[in-house]
Amino acid sequence: MRKLVTIFSVLFLMAATVQAQQISGTIKDEKGKGLEKATVSLLKASDSSLVKLVATGNSGVYTFATVKPGKYLINTTFVGYVPAYSDVFEVSGSNITVPELTISKPTGELAGVVVTTKKPIIEVKADKMILNVEGTINAVGNDALELLRKSPGVMVDKDDNISLAGKNGVQVFIDGKPSPLSGTDLSNFLKSTQSSQIESIEIITNPSAKYEAAGNAGIINIKLKKNKTFGTNGSVNLGYVQGVYPKYNGGINLNHRDKNVNIFGSYNYNDVKNLMIMNSDREQFDTLFKQRNSIRVLVKSHSFKTGVDYFINKKSTLGAIVSGNISDVDVNTAGPMFFTYKPTGQLNRILQATNKNDRSQDNINANLNYRYAVTGGTELNIDADYSSFRIGSNQYQPNIYYNPDGTTEISRAVYNMIAPTDIDLISLKADYEQNFKGGRLGIGFKSAVVNTDNDFQRYNVYTSSKVLDTLKSNQFEYNENINALYVNYNKQLKKGIMFQLGVRAENTISKGTSTGFKQVNDVMVPYDSLFKRNYTNLFPSAAVTFNKNPMKQWTISYSRRIDRPAYQDLNPFEFKVNEYNFMKGNTQLKPQYTNSIDITNIYKYRLTTKLTFSHVNDIFAQIPDTIDKTKGFLTKRNLAKQDVVALSISYPFQLKWYSFYAMLNSNYSHYKADFGGGDRVVDQKVFNVTYYMQNSFDFGKGWKGELTGLYISPGVWSGFFKTVAMGSIDVGIQKQLFQGKGNVKFAVSDVFSTMKWGGTSDFAGVHMNFNGYGELPQYKLNFSFRFGNSQVKAARQRKSALDEERKRAEGGGQQGGMNQ
């Protein structure tokens, strides 16, 4: 870590002390007209490595400020034109004007030019970080949850809860739409989504008012692949992974696009069997509970997506998308729990609680969308969405007690829990933008309704029959309606200052009903636990960017956000994990609110530094508590507050065939709450560091290699659990085949088997130690092949390509790793 800090310091000081000059010039087309928004690259003459990147302004003029002495050349590109290079020139003691460069459209058979877009593996911008999954070799064979686990700044704990920059309450989006799933349902969905389906992952820590306010830590948007190439084309991919058990995946993508319509579809299959080891020691009252579990998870999933875009005219597009995921997730848990009497240290009995849970999760999504856009002017987007989730759970749980010798049975209690869950979501939203007083004004609304119905039935199983236990069964219905309005305005001022201001108003109406039976004086009577909430909040956001000198950009941003309780966390019913462990919801659980300020500096488009201050009120925490002295349960409560200070630094380096990218994320958190004094007081202070590095190698002739590393220092999960350090080293190699249409990738994840989690907690008289790990290491092989037309018509693609280039050149987007 000290070496890394030293390297950053030396680089910064060297850059700051070297005298710099200015380079300017003009780019024109074959008719002599200046080309606006052409991409201009300043390259070192010695090895053609990229130094800086800008976009041309009016009349095709470009300028590179603060250039160090040395020999350089200019490269310019424009969509639909043949790239051009200048002669080599030298920067010494005065400013340089490069002779004008002329680029022309291709002639003859090259008129249908093939445009190949190269994306960096990681892009860091002032408002978000983008992980381009398609561009990395070591992403092969991972599911979406594993990709998040290895993403810089993202933490996934032992229960698959996701946190970002030291804060929980992350809102997961799929293709720009918030997922209604949470907890186990969300983790199972992410486990059924393979990396071969994912284009990129966007991590947005301070979203503008245009985004939903949900997500205290920010938004993680998983963008699935969508082909935009003209003509008829497609791709296939096949994958094999070997850990303790073999795993298979495969898929196909098809696309047809012409000037009037774009039709696309994809199908992916995933067959995975994973092993996880989970151990825990719990001291409670006079007993030590020592549990040793092996968990086998079998996932078989089918995912599909089909849609059509109809281009009504140059301004209007009408689209429809249907997608879904059909999966079966079988979870088998086996292992003993040892009971030891603490005063004497004597083992007095053993519990064998072998759980088998057969789960199904079927999801169907439908979207209708309309887009009206005038280049540089008015834009209107309307989306209507419907999502349906049908989740089934059939759990068989025998609890068999043995004498200390482990052979003589004392007693048994066998349960069968059947718990179907139905979730339906309907939403309508509209976003409108137009030019206003020299800036950009955006307004919009969204209305969303979520209905959830969970029917939990517990049966006592006997030798020849099973009987419904009405006292331990429960039905929970939860309905939530969120209506939102927002306004957002941004403007570039003449003095090199750009600002954005916005506010979002959200009204939440929710109702939960937990019904079942309870026993009163030996009589079974029905109960109805009903709670209602109706509240309205304002969520302001603001950002100011100082970009007078593009080489030294500063951005200050602020946002207020909310995280609402998941429906599972509100149900007051007690769910049995085994005879001595329960989970229980909390109807008093309130939303948690976060105020965050980010200060970001992007130096020479490369070195990005971000400092974040966050204050969280009523933070969610998963708290261990006690029942009947020796039994424990987990429930979520609101801690009083959490304060977080986070610092992230990232830097890319490229030299000929080698590129390096490093990101350092650190955060200091202070959790504080009082649940009754004594051992029920929480006052945790923790400093956590995450370091990610990626080395990429281009060996030539289609061969590429990759070496990535991740280190996570000790920290805190869910406000209570103090964790140990963990990390991993991954290696991979890739070979292009069939003139670049085919790819073979081989990767080994966690080469040294170091991605093992563990930690402790001490609350309310319960002291816990826990640890666990998955299949380490894993060997992954993937083959992909593209077929059909690969040409992109410049006329249709120019706007989106130019917008992307402009954002990277003018917006200070940092590129990390090797271009793929």
Side-chain angles (χ1 to χ4, degrees):
M1 197 63 66
R2 291 180 179 176
K3 291 182 179 180
L4 180 66
V5 174
T6 302
I7 291 172
F8 282 139
S9 301
V10 171
L11 289 171
F12 186 84
L13 290 172
M14 288 176 60
T17 55
V18 176
Q19 184 181 7
Q21 309 301 326
Q22 177 176 294
I23 300 172
S24 59
T26 305
I27 307 299
K28 294 184 177 182
D29 63 15
E30 66 267 37
K31 297 179 181 179
K33 182 180 178 181
L35 277 177
E36 184 180 359
K37 298 179 181 177
T39 300
V40 184
S41 304
L42 179 65
L43 310 176
K44 285 185 178 180
S46 58
D47 56 14
S48 296
S49 62
L50 178 66
V51 178
K52 297 181 181 180
L53 185 73
V54 297
T56 56
N58 294 332
S59 303
V61 176
Y62 65 88
T63 299
F64 291 101
T66 61
V67 179
K68 296 185 297 185
K71 292 185 178 181
Y72 301 92
L73 73 157
I74 294 294
N75 163 247
T76 182
T77 58
F78 192 77
V79 177
Y81 286 72
V82 177
Y85 291 84
S86 73
D87 293 330
V88 175
F89 56 88
E90 184 172 0
V91 175
S92 54
S94 60
N95 295 336
I96 298 293
T97 300
V98 179
E100 69 179 39
L101 281 174
T102 300
I103 58 176
S104 57
K105 294 182 179 180
T107 58
E109 295 182 357
L110 293 177
V113 62
V114 176
V115 180
T116 303
T117 304
K118 295 182 178 181
K119 292 184 178 180
I121 293 173
I122 292 180
E123 298 175 81
V124 178
K125 301 185 179 182
D127 63 335
K128 62 185 173 184
M129 179 178 67
I130 303 172
L131 175 64
N132 290 306
V133 177
E134 286 182 296
T136 176
I137 301 171
N138 289 334
V140 169
N142 285 314
D143 57 47
L145 190 66
E146 282 301 311
L147 289 176
L148 291 181
R149 193 186 303 273
K150 296 180 179 181
S151 297
V154 179
M155 175 74 75
V156 181
D157 70 13
K158 64 182 180 64
D159 299 315
D160 294 338
N161 298 308
I162 302 170
S163 60
L164 178 60
K167 296 178 289 183
N168 63 14
V170 177
Q171 177 65 58
V172 175
F173 279 50
I174 307 296
D175 279 338
K177 305 180 190 304
S179 171
L181 299 178
S182 60
T184 302
D185 297 333
L186 176 61
S187 67
N188 286 334
F189 174 79
L190 295 175
K191 288 175 183 176
S192 67
T193 304
Q194 281 295 300
S195 61
S196 57
Q197 302 170 240
I198 300 173
E199 176 183 325
S200 63
I201 296 174
E202 297 179 340
I203 300 174
I204 309 170
T205 54
N206 252 357
S208 70
K210 184 176 180 179
Y211 290 90
E212 278 87 343
N216 270 353
I219 291 171
I220 296 178
N221 182 30
I222 300 174
K223 297 180 68 175
L224 303 180
K225 292 180 180 178
K226 181 179 178 182
N227 196 330
K228 295 182 179 180
T229 308
F230 270 68
T232 301
N233 50 77
S235 65
V236 293
N237 68 85
L238 296 170
Y240 174 80
V241 179
Q242 182 64 57
V244 176
Y245 301 107
K247 313 160 209 314
Y248 315 89
N249 63 80
I252 183 170
N253 292 269
L254 295 172
N255 185 81
H256 174 78
R257 184 183 180 101
D258 58 34
K259 65 179 182 179
N260 295 319
V261 68
N262 179 41
I263 303 172
F264 54 91
S266 65
Y267 168 78
N268 288 273
Y269 175 71
N270 187 30
D271 189 333
V272 173
K273 186 176 182 180
N274 282 318
L275 173 67
M276 177 176 287
I277 302 300
M278 187 178 295
N279 305 315
S280 68
D281 295 337
R282 175 166 56 91
E283 295 182 27
Q284 186 173 335
F285 193 54
D286 60 358
T287 304
L288 171 63
F289 303 85
K290 183 175 291 188
Q291 191 162 1
R292 301 293 180 263
N293 281 337
S294 61
I295 304 171
R296 290 170 174 82
V297 181
L298 176 63
V299 179
K300 293 185 178 182
S301 67
H302 307 262
S303 60
F304 60 90
K305 183 176 184 179
T306 184
V308 59
D309 295 319
Y310 175 64
F311 307 109
I312 302 172
N313 51 48
K314 292 183 179 180
K315 300 178 181 179
S316 300
T317 304
L318 184 64
I321 301 173
V322 176
S323 62
N325 184 289
I326 311 299
S327 60
D328 292 316
V329 182
D330 296 338
V331 182
N332 300 299
T333 304
M337 176 184 283
F338 301 94
F339 299 76
T340 300
Y341 184 56
K342 286 173 56 180
T344 63
Q346 183 176 358
L347 178 68
N348 55 32
R349 65 189 184 280
I350 301 172
L351 167 63
Q352 290 285 356
T354 303
N355 277 281
K356 178 177 174 59
N357 192 354
D358 296 333
R359 295 176 59 91
S360 63
Q361 188 163 299
D362 301 339
N363 163 229
I364 301 293
N365 310 295
N367 167 265
L368 289 174
N369 61 83
Y370 172 77
R371 182 173 188 265
Y372 174 86
V374 178
T375 303
T378 302
E379 182 174 330
L380 172 66
N381 289 279
I382 301 175
D383 283 89
D385 290 276
Y386 170 75
S387 294
S388 169
F389 294 84
R390 298 294 180 262
I391 302 168
S393 176
N394 188 347
Q395 183 178 3
Y396 180 74
Q397 186 189 91
N399 296 272
I400 305 174
Y401 293 89
Y402 293 90
N403 278 332
D405 60 11
T407 58
T408 304
E409 181 179 328
I410 302 173
S411 63
R412 66 170 54 200
V414 183
Y415 308 109
N416 179 207
M417 283 79 77
I418 299 175
T421 300
D422 296 342
I423 304 175
D424 293 289
L425 182 149
I426 301 174
S427 69
L428 176 67
K429 75 167 187 172
D431 300 296
Y432 175 80
E433 290 186 4
Q434 71 169 45
N435 296 326
F436 181 73
K437 292 188 178 298
R440 194 76 172 162
L441 175 67
I443 58 175
F445 79 89
K446 180 174 182 180
S447 181
V449 177
V450 180
N451 295 316
T452 303
D453 186 358
N454 175 263
D455 186 10
F456 182 85
Q457 307 163 37
R458 199 186 90 170
Y459 293 86
N460 296 320
V461 180
Y462 303 103
T463 305
S464 59
S465 64
K466 65 179 182 178
V467 178
L468 179 66
D469 188 342
T470 54
L471 289 176
K472 300 298 182 181
S473 299
N474 161 271
Q475 183 165 10
F476 183 66
E477 296 179 356
Y478 183 71
N479 311 106
E480 186 176 75
N481 174 214
I482 301 175
N483 298 293
L485 296 171
Y486 78 86
V487 59
N488 197 66
Y489 182 73
N490 63 78
K491 183 177 181 178
Q492 175 73 51
L493 303 178
K494 293 182 179 180
K495 296 182 179 181
I497 298 176
M498 182 174 69
F499 72 88
Q500 171 265 317
L501 294 172
V503 64
R504 187 180 185 92
E506 291 191 352
N507 170 252
T508 304
I509 303 171
S510 61
K511 182 178 74 170
T513 307
S514 181
T515 57
F517 288 89
K518 61 182 178 179
Q519 189 168 339
V520 179
N521 297 326
D522 297 327
V523 178
M524 302 282 288
V525 296
Y527 71 85
D528 186 340
S529 178
L530 172 67
F531 62 91
K532 295 182 179 180
R533 290 178 183 168
N534 188 334
Y535 53 94
T536 301
N537 298 115
L538 293 179
F539 301 96
S541 64
V544 179
T545 299
F546 302 91
N547 55 9
K548 185 176 182 179
N549 182 355
M551 297 295 104
K552 301 176 182 179
Q553 293 194 63
W554 288 90
T555 298
I556 302 175
S557 62
Y558 163 80
S559 70
R560 180 175 189 253
R561 303 193 60 75
I562 186 175
D563 199 39
R564 300 175 180 88
Y567 77 91
Q568 303 101 319
D569 298 329
L570 293 169
N571 188 359
F573 189 73
E574 294 177 0
F575 297 92
K576 183 187 291 290
V577 179
N578 58 40
E579 283 281 274
Y580 283 82
N581 290 289
F582 301 81
M583 298 186 70
K584 183 180 181 180
N586 178 11
T587 59
Q588 302 302 312
L589 193 63
K590 298 180 293 185
Q592 61 181 18
Y593 296 89
T594 298
N595 289 275
S596 292
I597 296 175
D598 285 353
I599 302 174
T600 304
N601 175 256
I602 301 178
Y603 181 71
K604 292 191 174 182
Y605 301 117
R606 289 179 176 271
L607 179 62
T608 298
T609 306
K610 177 181 286 188
L611 182 64
T612 301
F613 303 90
S614 299
H615 177 77
V616 187
N617 285 319
D618 295 324
I619 180 176
F620 299 153
Q622 187 165 291
I623 297 175
D625 216 326
T626 60
I627 301 176
D628 300 333
K629 293 185 178 180
T630 59
K631 297 182 179 180
F633 73 89
L634 293 174
T635 188
K636 280 193 176 179
R637 294 186 185 177
N638 296 106
L639 291 184
K641 66 177 183 178
Q642 177 195 19
D643 293 306
V644 181
V645 180
L647 175 68
S648 67
I649 302 172
S650 60
Y651 186 81
F653 170 79
Q654 184 164 351
L655 178 64
K656 295 183 179 179
W657 53 271
Y658 170 73
S659 67
F660 171 78
Y661 176 81
M663 171 171 278
L664 177 71
N665 290 281
S666 61
N667 66 79
Y668 169 83
S669 297
H670 185 194
Y671 303 85
K672 192 172 183 179
D674 187 344
F675 294 110
D679 58 6
R680 292 178 176 269
V681 173
V682 178
D683 192 354
Q684 297 253 37
K685 297 178 181 179
V686 62
F687 179 73
N688 175 257
V689 173
T690 301
Y691 174 65
Y692 173 84
M693 66 89 182
Q694 179 156 320
N695 301 269
S696 300
F697 312 88
D698 190 343
F699 303 117
K701 297 184 179 181
W703 287 95
K704 293 182 180 181
E706 198 170 278
L707 171 67
T708 59
L710 175 68
Y711 169 78
I712 303 171
S713 75
V716 171
W717 289 342
S718 301
F720 279 85
F721 301 99
K722 296 181 180 180
T723 63
V724 299
M726 58 183 175
S728 65
I729 296 291
D730 301 345
V731 297
I733 194 166
Q734 168 185 307
K735 178 68 171 75
Q736 290 188 345
L737 305 171
F738 311 118
Q739 297 180 332
K741 292 186 176 181
N743 257 313
V744 174
K745 299 178 181 179
F746 175 75
V748 182
S749 64
D750 201 0
V751 175
F752 301 107
S753 301
T754 51
M755 199 66 175
K756 299 178 179 181
W757 49 263
T760 62
S761 72
D762 197 349
F763 179 79
V766 180
H767 178 76
M768 288 184 63
N769 288 287
F770 55 89
N771 63 77
Y773 53 90
E775 298 185 18
L776 310 174
Q778 293 189 21
Y779 304 89
K780 306 170 181 181
L781 182 66
N782 178 270
F783 171 75
S784 62
F785 180 77
R786 295 180 290 108
F787 56 87
N789 183 27
S790 60
Q791 293 182 339
V792 179
K793 301 297 183 182
R796 178 71 69 178
Q797 297 294 310
R798 180 170 298 157
K799 182 180 183 298
S800 60
L802 287 178
D803 286 345
E804 181 65 23
E805 294 289 357
R806 187 183 70 252
K807 289 176 183 177
R808 291 182 183 176
E810 297 178 348
Q814 175 185 313
Q815 301 181 0
M818 179 181 295
N819 289 336
Q820 298 297 309

